[in-house]
Amino acid sequence: MSDLHQLVLLTKLAAPHTPSTLVERQHVLERLAVRGRVTLITASAGSGKTTLLSAMAAERQRVAWLTLDSNDNDAIRFARYLIAALQTLEPALGRNAMALLNGLQQPAIEAVLTLLINEISVAQLAPIVLVLDDYHWIDTPVVHTALAWFIDQLPAQLHLIIASRTVPPLPLGRWRGRGYLSEIDANVLRFNSAETAQLLRQTLSDLPDQATIDWLTERTEGWVAGLQLAALSAKDRANVQQLLSGFSGSHRYIFDYLAEEVLDRLDPATVEFLLATSVAERLTGALCDQLLDWQPGTGAQMLVQLEAAQLFLVALDDERRWYRYHHLFAEFLRFRLQQLDPQAPTEYLQRASAWHAANNDLNTAISYSLAANDHQQATNLIAQFGRDALMRGEALSVRNWLARLPASQLSQSSHLALIAAWSQLLTVDILGIEEHLNQASAQLAALPQAEQARAKAEIATIEAVLLRFGDNIEHSMRHSQAALELVEHDDLVLRGILLGNLTVSARLTGNLTIAVAAASDAVTINQRSGNTFAMLLAIADLGQIQAQQGDLRKAAATYRRGIELASERGWHQVPALGLIHVGLGEVCYEWNQLEQAQTHAEQAIAIAQINGYLDIATDGYRLRARVEHANNERRNSQASIEQALHFAQRNNVGRFVNEVQATQARMALILGDLATVRRWAQSVQQTVWQWQQVGAANTYARWLIANNEPAQAIQLIQPLLQQTIKYGGNRLEWLLSLALAYAAQNNSKPAQAQLEQALAISEHEGALRGLLDAGPVLAQLLREGTSYAAQRAAIVAAMLQHSSTASAAQSLNEPLSEREIEVLKLLALGHSNAEIAERLIIAIGTVKRHVNNLLGKLNARSRTEAVAIARDEGLLH
């Protein structure tokens, strides 16, 4: 965990030390027996939640602990600490999830938690109890949602205990109904008279009578902190009975009482110490020395004395290095400090910030500066260290810091404006980034010369990525190339970002030569920097480009290299690996290795589900649909393509939706379902096709051929084929479409000429599937030609092997009537029930009955599926 130590505060992972005067509460501890998936403890401050849990942790062997604070509203930070807590018991657990957190791209918290769940599920672990203490600090919906989902999927080896002052917005009703939830509230935590007596007996030498104990218990409603305050106030006093009889349970009165009866009884140095250190969430000796400007070691001695005096100081580790005040006592001290000297809290917070900054705890340092309204110090710290936080994936924390600064601060610092721009870019919040870039540019002159050059390179890098997000793809590509000239050769971070952006932009615009070079450089740079995670992304991009060029063997080798690298590091579920599996599955599909293609599709889908990446899910299901379609698994294929469309629409990216719909149309075209293809063709007929849109454009061309418009198909294909040749793309699909178009014109010579070129490519790269999917017309062309005889024979044999030869009589449980066949044929032409009724001169109700009969006999779920099955079984000839 050596690397982890640099990212987490270890005291957050330690259960507080149990006090020596602990009241035994066995009946409450028994309520913490593991039942269901989660135990929820809710009660106000000072009710004994943390003390109860620390006692439980001291008794049991397998308890992981995480104390939460307001900074944990950053989902990435929350996930990192949650994993770190579990790693205190199982150091090897969560490595894949932590690797995802430490990647260049900020992942979704659900993706991280999914990886963690899977690692827990497959590991043979002894049961673990994970305590999330002080959950009331969490107010971010994304963390609540992620934790709820985590608990819904929780493996049996793990049980969660959540302690909070308030009832968290989690699906408690659902969990109660499913038996997931055990609950402990303030009623359970309240002390009874016997426990009050035990507490007083441990603190006071003169115990009051039973009536006073009963009254005090009732007056405080068993509130533990109130009882402790009462006992402390009566300690070493002669009139204990009278004092306790007049004790008030109101929080406001307790504050007043503490001021009069506790602080006033302490010496001035101790009071000064308590008030000055109350501004800090956590205390250690050196921090206390800085706050009070004391000699080194004095603060540590004072902390030991306060703990011995039981002045509401809680040890956070066994070594007694870190402490915190009881929350209620700390609030009282801060309130008192503000009353005595309104300027003092600011001064102490500034000192605390300076100490944490000097000790590399920058998150806390910035938080204290902001709490002190010391915007200049916060600005300096964010400008100096904000980029490091962004690289750790804590963009939301950075945005929260910036949101607490006056807007004028951003406009006065080039570094701060750039950090603001990066934080929005990494969280894909585009609006306002250009304004930050303008602010950064306006302040460049104030920077040293060396910093000016780096800032200009950052601005150019962000602008390049912004252009791609704005669909100015070609401009983005040119801007990336220009920006690379501004970036220092050893600035691997910016060079990696620019090369990644250049790769995607060049591929989308069809500039494959540039894309390959950029992707290759990205692989090399990430390898030099040791960033294997980013290298996998670059490998996925490179393989995709090689496949787009038609270099299937080279693409397969690239993808397999990526899988080997991931396997070597134990990264079996990272998102980049899902992209690689999709790519290799597509290559296997083209090689007609359908079983391998199916395996890669399933692996990609599994990774997408774990990480929540909708684009990978879309491509994985689309690949699976094509494989199932090729295997004549029509129902499965339909279900898979519907899933692909679902994820594409959720992703709200038009390109993904268009690709899925084009795949649906291509599968319908193969089946001869021209009604479905016609509807799709009408929706895209105004499209200005680009050569990169190989699948969609060729599907439209083949629709034109099927619709007896081969001349229009040739007119569409020829310029796109020329562009493909110009940019080095794969010509196979275009050549096959041209061959089919010429064949439809009964123009055998050019049809065979195009087919010969296609066969040459197919033989060189082993590509078969495009020819197999082209249908019976191509099969006839293959039989008629003489060149590439062996290749032709192999393709025809494969066509026969994968075609459906079963007769209708063999495949149907009950034969179709003549009228049902008539209705079926009209359905295949896309006619509605009303149109069929009009054609056959029968009632619409009769048509519906025939359709229902057809669905039953064909064992189909829809009209479209019935037509598909009928075509397979030869019922429409």
Side-chain angles (χ1 to χ4, degrees):
M1 288 181 54
S2 58
D3 292 338
L4 185 61
H5 287 188
Q6 302 173 11
L7 299 175
V8 301
L9 186 65
L10 295 182
T11 53
K12 286 167 62 69
L13 309 181
H17 188 72
T18 53
S20 58
T21 56
L22 180 69
V23 174
E24 293 183 5
R25 311 194 71 196
Q26 194 59 39
H27 69 286
V28 182
L29 284 171
E30 289 173 359
R31 296 285 295 267
L32 291 174
V34 174
R35 298 184 183 91
R37 299 186 178 190
V38 60
T39 299
L40 176 63
I41 306 176
T42 53
S44 61
S47 296
K49 302 182 294 298
T50 301
T51 301
L52 175 70
L53 291 173
S54 63
M56 179 270 297
E59 281 189 358
R60 301 182 187 176
Q61 298 296 317
R62 302 272 294 173
V63 178
W65 189 284
L66 173 56
T67 300
L68 298 166
D69 56 46
S70 60
N71 290 316
D72 297 315
N73 280 294
D74 184 320
I76 297 301
R77 176 184 168 93
F78 179 90
R80 179 174 284 124
Y81 271 102
L82 190 147
I83 295 168
L86 293 171
Q87 288 179 342
T88 60
L89 298 179
E90 296 287 344
L93 192 63
R95 286 182 176 175
N96 287 340
M98 194 65 83
L100 182 61
L101 280 171
N102 294 333
L104 288 178
Q105 290 182 323
Q106 178 170 310
I109 186 175
E110 291 85 357
V112 177
L113 296 181
T114 301
L115 280 176
L116 179 61
I117 287 170
N118 288 344
E119 290 190 59
I120 296 170
S121 298
V122 299
Q124 295 183 351
L125 303 177
I128 295 175
V129 173
L130 172 60
V131 174
L132 300 181
D133 197 21
D134 288 346
Y135 191 80
H136 50 267
W137 285 109
I138 303 302
D139 56 18
T140 303
V142 66
V143 177
H144 293 313
T145 301
L147 181 63
W149 181 86
F150 182 70
I151 291 171
D152 280 336
Q153 315 301 323
L154 205 64
Q157 304 99 310
L158 185 60
H159 181 84
L160 258 66
I161 300 179
I162 301 171
S164 175
R165 293 184 187 178
T166 59
V167 178
L170 299 171
L172 305 181
R174 185 175 78 224
W175 292 345
R176 291 186 189 105
R178 294 180 179 179
Y180 291 177
L181 183 66
S182 297
E183 295 178 87
I184 296 176
D185 60 13
N187 290 325
V188 176
L189 294 175
R190 286 172 183 158
F191 270 35
N192 56 34
S193 291
E195 290 165 333
T196 300
Q198 185 181 350
L199 174 65
L200 295 176
R201 189 177 296 112
Q202 292 173 345
T203 309
L204 304 175
S205 56
D206 183 13
L207 193 66
D209 60 25
Q210 187 61 46
T212 301
I213 293 172
D214 292 341
W215 180 90
L216 183 61
T217 304
E218 181 179 354
R219 185 69 169 169
T220 61
E221 298 185 46
W223 177 51
V224 179
L227 291 169
Q228 289 174 325
L229 291 171
L232 180 64
S233 66
K235 186 178 181 181
D236 299 327
R237 300 291 291 270
N239 55 341
V240 172
Q241 187 88 17
Q242 181 181 355
L243 191 150
L244 292 180
S245 297
F247 186 78
S248 171
S250 165
H251 285 204
R252 178 179 175 185
Y253 295 142
I254 289 175
F255 277 11
D256 292 342
Y257 196 89
L258 283 170
E260 297 172 4
E261 300 296 332
V262 177
L263 285 193
D264 288 352
R265 295 177 56 211
L266 299 173
D267 62 86
T270 303
V271 172
E272 180 188 14
F273 181 89
L274 290 171
L275 294 175
T277 56
S278 68
V279 302
E281 295 292 336
R282 294 176 178 85
L283 299 171
T284 192
L287 171 59
C288 296
D289 292 337
Q290 170 120 350
L291 288 171
L292 289 128
D293 196 21
W294 282 358
Q295 291 295 319
T298 310
Q301 293 174 5
M302 180 63 80
L303 288 171
V304 172
Q305 294 173 17
L306 292 179
E307 184 181 22
Q310 298 185 44
L311 274 174
F312 305 104
L313 195 67
V314 180
L316 296 175
D317 53 25
D318 292 336
E319 293 79 16
R320 295 298 198 273
R321 295 177 58 193
W322 285 91
Y323 297 84
R324 67 167 175 84
Y325 290 121
H326 185 284
H327 297 307
L328 191 62
F329 189 59
E331 290 168 3
F332 157 72
L333 291 173
R334 292 167 195 155
F335 177 77
R336 183 64 170 168
L337 178 64
Q338 182 71 30
Q339 281 184 325
L340 294 173
D341 184 355
Q343 302 303 318
T346 296
E347 181 181 348
Y348 290 134
L349 284 166
Q350 289 172 327
R351 293 181 185 181
S353 175
W355 185 88
H356 281 281
N359 287 273
N360 297 315
D361 183 2
L362 303 170
N363 202 340
T364 304
I366 292 169
S367 295
Y368 283 150
S369 289
L370 291 170
N373 289 320
D374 187 351
H375 297 138
Q376 188 56 54
Q377 173 66 357
T379 295
N380 294 339
L381 289 171
I382 296 171
Q384 187 175 359
F385 301 109
R387 289 177 178 83
D388 294 336
L390 292 172
M391 290 296 293
R392 293 196 301 268
E394 296 181 2
L396 285 177
S397 288
V398 175
R399 293 193 66 177
N400 288 334
W401 296 337
L402 295 170
R404 294 171 63 183
L405 291 175
S408 59
Q409 295 288 132
L410 296 181
S411 63
Q412 295 172 9
S413 167
S414 183
H415 284 308
L416 209 62
L418 281 171
I419 290 170
W422 280 119
S423 69
Q424 288 193 213
L425 192 66
L426 291 173
T427 52
V428 198
D429 185 4
I430 306 304
L431 189 64
I433 292 180
E434 289 188 7
E435 181 182 352
H436 292 317
L437 296 180
N438 291 336
Q439 292 169 341
S441 298
Q443 296 297 321
L444 282 176
L447 297 176
Q449 194 64 37
E451 292 183 24
Q452 284 188 35
R454 215 297 178 153
K456 288 178 181 178
E458 283 189 76
I459 292 170
T461 300
I462 296 171
E463 287 176 340
V465 179
L466 274 182
L467 287 167
R468 177 164 61 86
F469 283 154
D471 287 333
N472 296 314
I473 308 299
E474 292 188 4
H475 195 185
S476 175
M477 184 177 67
R478 292 193 297 270
H479 207 92
S480 295
Q481 291 170 316
L484 282 168
E485 300 297 323
L486 298 175
V487 178
E488 294 291 336
H489 188 71
D490 59 353
D491 192 337
L492 301 182
V493 173
L494 289 186
R495 297 191 75 82
I497 293 170
L498 284 167
L499 287 169
N501 189 64
L502 181 58
T503 299
V504 177
S505 299
R507 180 171 56 80
L508 291 174
T509 56
N511 292 279
L512 299 188
T513 302
I514 295 174
V516 167
S520 300
D521 287 347
V523 171
T524 301
I525 280 179
N526 288 312
Q527 190 170 22
R528 282 175 52 202
S529 68
N531 192 336
T532 310
F533 183 80
M535 185 166 62
L536 287 178
L537 291 172
I539 286 173
D541 284 334
L542 180 59
Q544 189 173 8
I545 297 163
Q546 291 166 336
Q548 195 172 355
Q549 290 177 311
D551 294 331
L552 299 185
R553 301 184 197 282
K554 189 181 292 185
T558 298
Y559 288 134
R560 286 176 179 137
R561 175 189 173 195
I563 292 173
E564 289 171 4
L565 284 170
S567 179
E568 288 171 3
R569 287 153 180 81
W571 291 1
H572 302 298
Q573 296 168 329
V574 294
L577 191 59
L579 296 172
I580 290 173
H581 277 299
V582 168
L584 187 53
E586 294 281 2
V587 171
C588 291
Y589 178 85
E590 293 303 326
W591 285 341
N592 201 35
Q593 296 174 355
L594 299 183
E595 185 176 349
Q596 293 94 320
Q598 178 94 13
T599 298
H600 287 297
E602 298 294 352
Q603 289 174 316
I605 291 168
I607 290 172
Q609 291 173 337
I610 289 169
N611 294 285
Y613 279 71
L614 301 179
D615 53 341
I616 300 175
T618 300
D619 288 342
Y621 277 110
R622 188 163 67 94
L623 171 60
R624 190 171 82 176
R626 295 171 66 199
V627 173
E628 290 165 342
H629 192 267
N631 283 323
N632 292 319
E633 299 171 12
R634 302 298 187 232
R635 291 185 188 174
N636 292 340
S637 176
Q638 182 63 27
S640 294
I641 202 66
E642 287 173 358
Q643 280 286 80
L645 185 59
H646 165 73
F647 285 110
Q649 290 169 336
R650 277 186 58 192
N651 206 16
N652 198 29
V653 176
R655 175 169 58 87
F656 294 146
V657 175
N658 295 340
E659 288 174 352
V660 174
Q661 291 175 335
T663 300
Q664 284 180 307
R666 174 62 72 94
M667 293 192 303
L669 188 64
I670 293 171
L671 291 175
D673 181 6
L674 299 186
T676 296
V677 185
R678 179 184 293 110
R679 287 192 294 272
W680 171 80
Q682 289 171 345
S683 71
V684 299
Q685 61 185 355
Q686 301 300 322
T687 301
V688 178
W689 298 104
Q690 304 294 323
W691 77 266
Q692 307 95 293
Q693 299 169 286
V694 178
N698 273 284
T699 299
Y700 189 77
R702 295 187 193 186
W703 151 250
L704 292 173
I705 296 168
N707 202 42
N708 296 318
E709 301 177 78
Q712 289 88 330
I714 293 170
Q715 186 178 1
L716 168 68
I717 297 166
Q718 285 179 331
L720 295 175
L721 174 58
Q722 293 306 311
Q723 290 179 28
T724 303
I725 294 170
K726 176 182 176 181
Y727 290 110
N730 187 2
R731 296 174 292 139
L732 181 59
E733 279 285 302
W734 305 110
L735 293 169
L736 290 175
S737 293
L738 271 180
L740 294 171
Y742 284 126
Q745 292 180 324
N746 295 317
N747 200 342
S748 177
K749 186 174 181 180
Q752 287 293 339
Q754 304 303 320
L755 182 57
E756 285 185 13
Q757 294 183 59
L759 288 169
I761 296 170
S762 171
E763 186 176 65
H764 184 265
E765 291 296 330
L768 289 174
R769 197 65 233 177
L771 289 96
L772 298 179
D773 290 340
V777 173
L778 187 74
Q780 185 60 35
L781 286 175
L782 288 166
R783 293 189 185 96
E784 292 172 354
T786 56
S787 59
Y788 299 96
Q791 183 78 349
R792 289 172 183 263
I795 295 168
V796 170
M799 283 180 168
L800 291 173
Q801 180 182 352
H802 286 88
S803 65
S804 174
T805 56
S807 69
Q810 290 172 323
S811 61
L812 295 181
N813 295 325
E814 182 181 352
L816 302 183
S817 67
E818 291 185 10
R819 178 62 86 185
E820 286 167 347
I821 291 175
E822 287 182 301
V823 171
L824 184 59
K825 289 180 177 179
L826 291 172
L827 287 175
L829 294 174
H831 290 299
S832 67
N833 287 349
E835 291 169 337
I836 295 172
E838 184 178 354
R839 285 284 192 95
L840 300 180
I841 316 176
I842 57 178
I844 293 178
T846 304
V847 175
K848 291 180 179 179
R849 179 167 52 80
H850 286 313
V851 170
N852 288 333
N853 289 341
L854 286 168
L855 295 178
K857 292 181 178 182
L858 295 171
N859 198 18
R861 294 176 298 178
S862 66
R863 297 156 66 105
T864 301
E865 187 177 4
V867 171
I869 294 171
R871 290 188 191 282
D872 284 347
E873 305 299 347
L875 297 172
L876 298 177
H877 298 313

